[in-house]
Amino acid sequence: MRAIFYVLFLSLCALPVFNAEAQEIPKLGMMASLDKDSLLYASGFEMQGESVGRMLGPSLTEAEFQSNVQKIKDAKTKLYVCNVFFPSDLKIAGPEVDEKKVLAYADQVFQRAKKAGVPVIVLGSGGARKLPENYDYQKATKDFTQLARKIGQVAQKHGITVALENLNSTETNFLTTLEEAAGVVKGANHPNFRLNADIYHMMKENEPPQHIVDAGNVIVYVEIAEEENRTLPGVVGEDFRPYFQALKSIGYSGPLFIEGRVNNPEVEIPNAHKFLTQQLQEVYAENK
């Protein structure tokens, strides 16, 4: 009997010890055309992103869309997200919004996203949300928040999540900080309308990592690039760790996607994966 207990004791000692402080490191993805799939996969990326227009857009014929679906199925990486949701001539903020058109367009995109197995649509669309000069910003925010809730309701029907992106002021004049975008998401208060914390745009607007902490659990998706020329992480060697520490503090373990300019794909893409992985491991391995 004593021998049996001894064996059990040794077995328990061999079990891995649960670390309550441990957090899963965000998985890495990259916005890139599907023809870069093999290079992304070989570089260590598990996911990638494309654009709504190229993959899912209502302007694509059914045959073109089905061809895209097959390419998505054949890809080694998971097509997790599509961006550039609304074309610039379909206004989603300001005085020219046609709500019926916006929601009908969104419904078509979500239907195709579901069929293609793409769970997340990023709402950046700087042209579509740009306001006329001197337009009432407070009214625009209130109206857009109401529209956001309705977009979330349409997305919910198809099991899709919309992630509102903070853009910088060189790309649009509406919702140019994470703080503002988070306010809209919280005001819309819909589980299928959430937040994309784009660290590149945050840095362009001199936003502190604290704004990630303030946004908290409405963040479901994160994008990144180096600040000066939107290069891939590792080209200049920017230190993103303060932003990663903010993500860790809110328990974020969702995906982290690169969206940046590539000059030398074969060198920069694998280097970016290695560079980000190192900084993430340093941060997420630290004790709280």
Side-chain angles (χ1 to χ4, degrees), residues 222-247:
V222 178
E223 289 182 333
I224 197 165
E226 294 182 327
E227 181 183 354
E228 188 174 350
N229 294 309
R230 205 170 192 171
T231 44
L232 300 198
V235 172
V236 174
E238 198 137 15
D239 184 4
F240 300 109
R241 286 172 294 184
Y243 292 94
F244 295 162
Q245 284 162 352
L247 290 171

Side-chain angles (χ1 to χ4, degrees), residues 3 37 48 55 75 79 180 190 196 223 225 227 235 250 260-261:
D37 170 65
Q48 75 174 106
M55 291 289 111
L79 187 63
E180 285 182 308
H190 195 282
N196 165 20
E223 289 182 333
E227 181 183 354
V235 172
I250 62 170
R261 296 187 177 93

Side-chain angles (χ1 to χ4, degrees), residues 160-174:
I160 304 298
T161 298
V162 178
L164 177 64
E165 180 179 7
N166 56 301
L167 298 175
N168 73 73
S169 53
T170 68
E171 296 188 12
T172 193
N173 61 359
F174 183 52

Side-chain angles (χ1 to χ4, degrees), residues 34 66-77 115-116:
L34 272 180
Q66 289 302 330
S67 174
N68 285 341
V69 170
Q70 191 57 52
K71 289 175 187 174
I72 291 166
K73 286 179 180 176
D74 292 342
K76 296 173 183 175
T77 55
K115 289 176 183 175

Side-chain angles (χ1 to χ4, degrees), residues 15-63:
L15 290 173
V17 177
F18 175 70
N19 180 4
E21 303 295 336
Q23 276 183 242
E24 186 181 348
I25 294 176
K27 291 182 172 62
L28 297 179
M30 184 169 169
M31 304 303 298
S33 61
L34 272 180
D35 62 14
K36 293 287 190 296
D37 170 65
S38 292
L39 176 57
L40 291 176
Y41 184 77
S43 301
F45 290 95
E46 298 181 39
M47 297 173 287
Q48 75 174 106
E50 257 277 9
S51 73
V52 166
R54 281 196 298 264
M55 291 289 111
L56 312 171
S59 62
L60 296 173
T61 66
E62 186 60 24

Side-chain angles (χ1 to χ4, degrees), residues 1-258:
M1 180 67 73
R2 196 176 287 175
I4 292 172
F5 281 122
Y6 183 65
V7 170
L8 285 171
F9 173 75
L10 289 177
S11 299
L12 288 170
C13 288
L15 290 173
V17 177
F18 175 70
N19 180 4
E21 303 295 336
Q23 276 183 242
E24 186 181 348
I25 294 176
K27 291 182 172 62
L28 297 179
M30 184 169 169
M31 304 303 298
S33 61
L34 272 180
D35 62 14
K36 293 287 190 296
D37 170 65
S38 292
L39 176 57
L40 291 176
Y41 184 77
S43 301
F45 290 95
E46 298 181 39
M47 297 173 287
Q48 75 174 106
E50 257 277 9
S51 73
V52 166
R54 281 196 298 264
M55 291 289 111
L56 312 171
S59 62
L60 296 173
T61 66
E62 186 60 24
E64 288 170 331
F65 171 62
Q66 289 302 330
S67 174
N68 285 341
V69 170
Q70 191 57 52
K71 289 175 187 174
I72 291 166
K73 286 179 180 176
D74 292 342
K76 296 173 183 175
T77 55
K78 161 71 177 170
L79 187 63
Y80 180 82
V81 62
C82 284
N83 64 5
V84 196
F85 186 3
F86 292 100
S88 59
D89 60 352
L90 182 57
K91 294 297 180 182
I92 57 173
E96 299 174 22
V97 176
D98 184 331
E99 187 177 282
K100 285 185 180 179
K101 270 189 180 178
V102 169
L103 296 179
Y105 174 89
D107 188 64
Q108 289 178 288
V109 170
F110 298 148
Q111 283 184 47
R112 284 187 162 182
K114 183 178 181 179
K115 289 176 183 175
V118 179
V120 176
I121 301 295
V122 168
L123 200 173
S125 306
R129 80 194 209 198
K130 187 176 182 181
L131 301 175
E133 278 189 48
N134 303 317
Y135 189 75
D136 187 331
Y137 203 92
Q138 191 172 356
K139 174 175 168 50
T141 304
K142 181 182 176 183
D143 291 346
F144 182 70
T145 302
Q146 292 173 350
L147 180 61
R149 187 180 300 113
K150 292 175 183 178
I151 291 172
Q153 290 167 352
V154 178
Q156 188 174 37
K157 286 196 309 178
H158 304 287
I160 304 298
T161 298
V162 178
L164 177 64
E165 180 179 7
N166 56 301
L167 298 175
N168 73 73
S169 53
T170 68
E171 296 188 12
T172 193
N173 61 359
F174 183 52
L175 306 180
T176 57
T177 66
L178 185 70
E179 189 173 39
E180 285 182 308
V184 166
V185 171
K186 290 176 180 180
N189 191 27
H190 195 282
N192 293 71
F193 195 92
R194 303 279 89 179
L195 186 62
N196 165 20
D198 191 306
I199 293 170
Y200 160 73
H201 292 303
M202 289 182 74
M203 293 189 299
K204 291 290 284 184
E205 294 298 311
N206 297 310
E207 274 196 277
Q210 180 62 37
H211 286 180
I212 288 174
V213 179
D214 296 341
N217 64 5
V218 299
I219 298 173
V220 296
Y221 174 77
V222 178
E223 289 182 333
I224 197 165
E226 294 182 327
E227 181 183 354
E228 188 174 350
N229 294 309
R230 205 170 192 171
T231 44
L232 300 198
V235 172
V236 174
E238 198 137 15
D239 184 4
F240 300 109
R241 286 172 294 184
Y243 292 94
F244 295 162
Q245 284 162 352
L247 290 171
K248 182 187 175 186
S249 76
I250 62 170
Y252 183 80
S253 57
L256 174 66
F257 265 65
I258 299 168

